[in-house]
Amino acid sequence: WKLGATICYDVRFPELYRQYSNGGANVMSVSSAFTIPTGQAHWHTLLKARAIENLSYIVASAQWGKHNERISTFGHSLIVSPWGEIEVDMKEGEGVTFHELDFEKLKTARSKLSNLWSNFLR
């Protein structure tokens, strides 16, 4: 596995993830403190998009809780497959999970898209 490390704000910039992917990364980590409003609106969608665009795993740890009167974070630590499937969603609250990434699933997703494109271009 080759890892690209990012933070929550970075998920809005697909070029960074493409750069990592072009450099050989096949897992992208995202450390996050998304607030509740932006988390509810964008968190899952943006992470799935980054996984699909780069056919890479996304492993996103997400801070959760009320931190003061103004700031509450969304949580939902996620693991997203290269095909955009959410494999782990820790939802709200504190917790720990273990999950084995599947290198064959990565290769299959990349092969599937390659086959779709080659059939399209014929």
Side-chain angles (χ1 to χ4, degrees):
W1 298 104
K2 287 192 171 185
L3 178 70
T6 68
I7 62 169
C8 52
Y9 188 67
D10 295 337
V11 297
R12 299 187 181 282
F13 302 97
E15 301 84 2
L16 174 61
Y17 293 82
R18 178 60 59 181
Q19 209 171 13
Y20 277 136
S21 182
N22 287 341
N26 47 27
V27 178
M28 314 291 178
S29 70
V30 184
S31 298
S32 169
F34 257 52
T35 61
I36 289 176
T38 55
Q40 289 172 333
H42 302 144
W43 182 241
H44 289 74
T45 303
L46 288 169
L47 292 176
K48 288 173 74 173
R50 299 300 81 88
I52 293 165
E53 292 164 347
N54 297 291
L55 294 168
S56 297
Y57 276 99
I58 299 291
V59 177
S61 59
Q63 192 175 43
W64 172 84
K66 184 171 176 83
H67 307 287
N68 60 42
E69 298 76 40
R70 293 181 23 238
I71 299 174
S72 294
T73 49
F74 181 62
H76 290 265
S77 294
L78 299 176
I79 298 175
V80 184
S81 80
W83 202 247
E85 304 148 325
I86 294 176
E87 294 188 356
V88 174
D89 184 342
M90 295 295 292
K91 310 261 185 230
E92 296 175 343
E94 297 175 10
V96 174
T97 189
F98 295 89
H99 185 74
E100 191 169 333
L101 303 182
D102 185 344
F103 202 75
E104 286 303 312
K105 186 181 272 192
L106 175 80
K107 289 187 343 189
T108 299
R110 290 179 173 188
S111 173
K112 206 183 293 187
L113 191 63
S114 178
N115 291 338
L116 288 170
W117 272 108
S118 63
N119 289 334
F120 176 75
L121 296 174
R122 286 186 192 164

